[in-house]
Amino acid sequence: MSVLSKIRASLNANYAALSAKIFNRGNAKESITVNHVTVRPVARQTQDIGKWRSALICAEQDHDQRTLLYDLYEDILLDGRMKRLIEQRIQSVTNCKIKFTQNGKPVEDLDTLAMTTAFAEFLREALMSKFWGHSLLELYWQPAGSVLAHTTNLIPRKHVKPKLGIVTKEQWGSEGLPYREKPFTDFVIEIGKANDLGLMLQCSPLVIYKRGGFGDWAEFAETFGMPFRWATYNNDQSRQILETALAEAGSAGYVVAPEDAKLEFHNAIAGGNNNDIFRMLVQACNEELAITILGQTMTTQEAKGSGFAQSKVHENTQGEIHADDRLFVLRILNEKLNPYLASLGYQVKGGEWAFEDGENLPLTERITIDEKLAAFIDIPDDYWYEKYKIPKPKEGSSGGAAEKKPEAVKTSGAKNS
């Protein structure tokens, strides 16, 4: 009998005991997935395109070994530019207020849940599946009305084999717990496709080239950034004296050569500056990273020689990507999280998750929208005071509100009468 068969037989034989543990939400240590893996540290090494290609080939095989590729991902995440671009994508969703409504009314228990750290971690890891290709989350959230803390565990990605549907004890293993079967399906949520390796697959070569460019640039600066010293001699005694003197005179480069020797430095770029080629390479890699992750470049760096219209096009492109991310999260919440919440006693039937539109709009845009709406519908005075944090005037005093209120607001009542 194979190890996998033994594991399955053991699970079936102890199903009742395991189920009791699963629904004992008061103790996150009762986890039967996370606690069955042996987490190894990231294998840090110098990365190059050859290693990236080898890791990719290994991950694409049927045995689904992503350890080399995910170690490479961890390494390239040390790049500050890439880290910031990813955070920009994630924050465009996590900074938006999300709510659950049922028949148009909010559900208090779920509003409270949406404000917890565990819920925020769920949203973050759901979005990170776009960059890693896959996320497997183990939820130990408390039943409705409980005051105990919720726990969200990310199953270590190197131990998850999506093509095989298992979680292995060792990162290089090929047999393990079948997380798509009972009882794991009661508390494990899978996000992402089995054959998806994430956006970081395309970003990795760019970071590798960028690092190489910085390394060459640093070597160039070390070699040619300091004054170069040239000394000649006509006998061995002079040579030894010069070598000793120059070696003790500092770290700048030097050459001690015979009097008839000749030294020339040839510029690799005709009529140009060697230093520019390194800057151009780094800049090109940064731009490609921004295009890969955000779909544009002008909201992340200074735009030279570009007009307002072009910047708006770039901003709209990024907005489309952020809108797609929000739709992606809503599908996960409504299709995958709601059944889990229902098992905990939350009243989710007939309701859905949604983002509160306009919560993160700039104030000037919000006012413009409200003014246009006020031309067609009656907007209560209380809305303006609450929305824009304006103190209400005391009774008997308009405080100039009638004169200062937008014309559209003052005439909206007449248009509707």
Side-chain angles (χ1 to χ4, degrees), residues 322-391:
H322 292 332
D324 181 72
D325 287 342
R326 287 190 284 271
L327 288 174
F328 172 78
V329 166
L330 291 179
R331 293 188 191 103
I332 297 297
L333 293 175
N334 290 318
E335 296 175 9
K336 295 193 174 186
L337 183 63
N338 278 358
Y340 172 74
L341 294 176
S343 71
L344 296 179
Y346 287 95
Q347 300 301 315
V348 296
K349 187 176 181 180
E352 64 177 359
W353 294 94
F355 288 98
E356 291 192 2
D357 295 332
E359 285 295 320
N360 296 278
L361 286 176
L363 187 61
T364 53
E365 292 185 24
R366 182 73 265 171
I367 292 175
T368 301
I369 293 172
D370 287 343
E371 285 183 356
K372 291 180 178 179
L373 285 175
F376 301 99
I377 61 175
D378 281 323
I379 299 180
D381 288 345
D382 288 344
Y383 169 84
W384 301 95
Y385 294 120
E386 294 174 4
K387 189 68 178 181
Y388 300 102
K389 312 302 182 193
I390 301 171

Side-chain angles (χ1 to χ4, degrees), residues 78-217:
L78 296 176
D79 182 81
R81 174 78 169 191
M82 181 174 173
K83 184 75 172 178
R84 182 59 213 145
L85 290 171
I86 292 176
E87 288 298 322
Q88 191 170 339
R89 279 276 296 266
I90 293 175
Q91 289 171 2
S92 70
V93 175
T94 57
N95 286 343
C96 295
K97 190 173 182 180
I98 193 169
K99 61 181 180 180
F100 185 90
T101 58
Q102 196 173 55
N103 299 323
K105 298 180 180 180
V107 179
E108 184 178 353
D109 286 343
L110 292 171
D111 280 347
T112 302
L113 176 66
M115 298 301 295
T116 63
T117 301
F119 190 85
E121 290 174 351
F122 179 85
L123 292 183
R124 180 179 181 81
E125 294 302 338
L127 288 165
M128 286 302 288
S129 69
K130 287 200 166 190
F131 299 97
W132 289 84
H134 190 271
S135 291
L136 186 63
L137 300 172
E138 187 174 37
L139 307 184
Y140 278 85
W141 294 3
Q142 306 304 323
S146 174
V147 296
L148 298 175
H150 307 283
T151 302
T152 300
N153 294 324
L154 172 69
I155 308 298
R157 290 188 173 92
K158 291 189 290 185
H159 294 260
V160 180
K161 317 298 179 186
K163 293 181 182 178
L164 305 177
I166 60 173
V167 176
T168 61
K169 181 176 182 179
E170 294 290 343
Q171 61 188 19
W172 289 102
S174 58
E175 296 182 343
L177 302 175
Y179 65 82
R180 291 177 184 147
E181 299 179 9
K182 287 284 189 177
F184 306 104
T185 53
D186 291 330
F187 57 95
V188 169
I189 293 181
E190 181 179 18
I191 304 172
K193 298 179 180 179
N195 60 348
D196 189 1
L197 298 177
L199 273 177
M200 284 199 283
L201 179 65
Q202 289 80 37
C203 295
S204 298
L206 298 172
V207 175
I208 292 172
Y209 285 132
K210 178 181 171 182
R211 286 180 178 176
F214 266 122
D216 293 339
W217 198 355

